[in-house]
């Protein structure tokens, strides 16, 4: 299992999560569309939980099984951040199912400190020149980290300008995640095809 590398696919899952949350925030907080709110909250709650569990499994895989001489500190950069994101997704989904609200003070607090961690990890990795696209990686971590930081005041204010800013940051993070993931797919295919001797 140590020689698996599902990171490209995981980046697409992260992008899907960011886009989905951006859509939900836009619909509920900006457009104020509440028709069939209970049904929407239930389906989105299960969506967040399932995606969060999947990302959590992969995040733990990176954190626990990737610390090898081959991978260096990439387990910290990708795995630890993915575990935090998975925790937030599951917590948000559970909150939707139980209370009908995506945000709560606990989620806001967890997102705030998770965002700070993401910013520190992204800046540190950029300064160390990690990944083949350090500038895009920095953009991904900064955009998603700032979105997490701004979720805490959003819990208390529901300010539309703040919602719009978070949505923009999530869309930027999603696009960068899709681009990095798309760039990684052919590279990983070629790398593993060569490693196994396939033609």
């Amino acid at each position: 299992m140590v020689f698996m590398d599902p990171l490209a696919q995981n980046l697409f899952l992260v992008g899907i999560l960011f886009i989905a949350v951006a859509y939900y925030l836009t619909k509920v907080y900006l457009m104020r569309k509440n028709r069939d709110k209970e049904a929407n909250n239930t389906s989105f709650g299960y969506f967040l939980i399932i995606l969060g569990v999947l990302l959590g499994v992969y995040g733990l895989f990176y954190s626990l099984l990737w610390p090898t001489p081959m991978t260096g500190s990439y387990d910290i950069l990708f795995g630890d951040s993915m575990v935090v994101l998975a925790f937030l997704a599951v917590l948000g989904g559970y909150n939707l199912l139980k209370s009908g609200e995506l945000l709560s003070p606990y989620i806001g607090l967890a997102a705030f400190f998770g965002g700070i961690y993401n910013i520190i990890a992204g800046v540190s990795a950029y300064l160390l020149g990690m990944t083949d696209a350090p500038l895009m990686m920095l953009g991904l971590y900064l955009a998603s980290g700032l979105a997490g930081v701004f979720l805490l005041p959003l819990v208390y204010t529901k300010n539309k300008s703040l919602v719009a800013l978070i949505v923009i940051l999530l869309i930027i993070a999603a696009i960068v995640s899709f681009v990095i993931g798309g760039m990684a797919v052919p590279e990983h295919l070629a790398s593993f095809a060569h490693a196994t001797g396939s033609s």
Side-chain angles (χ1 to χ4, degrees):
M1 282 186 69
V2 176
F3 298 101
M4 291 170 55
D5 191 354
L7 184 59
Q9 177 241 43
N10 294 165
L11 285 164
F12 275 87
L13 293 179
V14 168
I16 290 169
L17 178 61
F18 288 152
I19 285 289
V21 174
Y23 172 76
Y24 181 88
L25 292 175
T26 299
K27 185 177 179 182
V28 173
Y29 293 104
L30 291 180
M31 301 172 67
R32 305 288 186 184
K33 289 191 175 181
N34 292 323
R35 282 184 301 173
D36 301 322
K37 184 178 179 183
E38 186 174 345
N40 289 332
N41 284 342
T42 300
S43 60
F44 191 58
Y46 283 120
F47 170 84
L48 288 178
I49 290 172
I50 292 169
L51 190 52
V53 168
L54 186 59
L55 287 173
V57 169
Y58 279 120
L60 288 173
F61 162 75
Y62 296 131
S63 293
L64 299 176
L65 296 180
W66 251 24
T68 67
M70 289 189 312
T71 59
S73 56
Y74 284 94
D75 59 308
I76 299 170
L77 178 62
F78 297 123
D80 296 355
S81 294
M82 198 173 293
V83 169
V84 173
L85 182 61
F87 170 74
L88 288 170
V90 172
L91 194 59
Y94 177 81
N95 209 51
L96 271 175
L97 295 176
K98 288 298 181 180
S99 69
E101 292 290 335
L102 177 65
L103 303 177
S104 72
Y106 300 107
I107 292 173
L109 197 62
F112 178 83
F113 287 107
I116 289 176
Y117 175 84
N118 241 31
I119 292 169
I120 294 171
V123 171
S124 300
Y126 174 76
L127 294 175
L128 290 170
M130 296 176 68
T131 77
D132 292 334
L135 194 57
M136 282 196 288
M137 182 273 308
L138 176 64
L140 170 61
Y141 276 72
L142 282 182
S144 58
L146 287 171
V149 167
F150 290 137
L151 273 178
L152 181 57
L154 182 63
V155 171
Y156 299 101
T157 66
K158 302 297 189 294
N159 180 276
K160 281 194 170 185
S161 297
L162 192 54
V163 175
L165 176 60
I166 293 171
V167 166
I168 291 169
L169 288 168
L170 287 172
I171 291 173
I172 291 171
I175 291 171
V176 176
S177 188
F178 289 140
V179 170
I180 297 174
M183 290 169 57
V185 170
E187 180 183 331
H188 288 187
L189 284 174
S191 175
F192 276 82
H194 178 72
T196 58
S198 302
S199 56

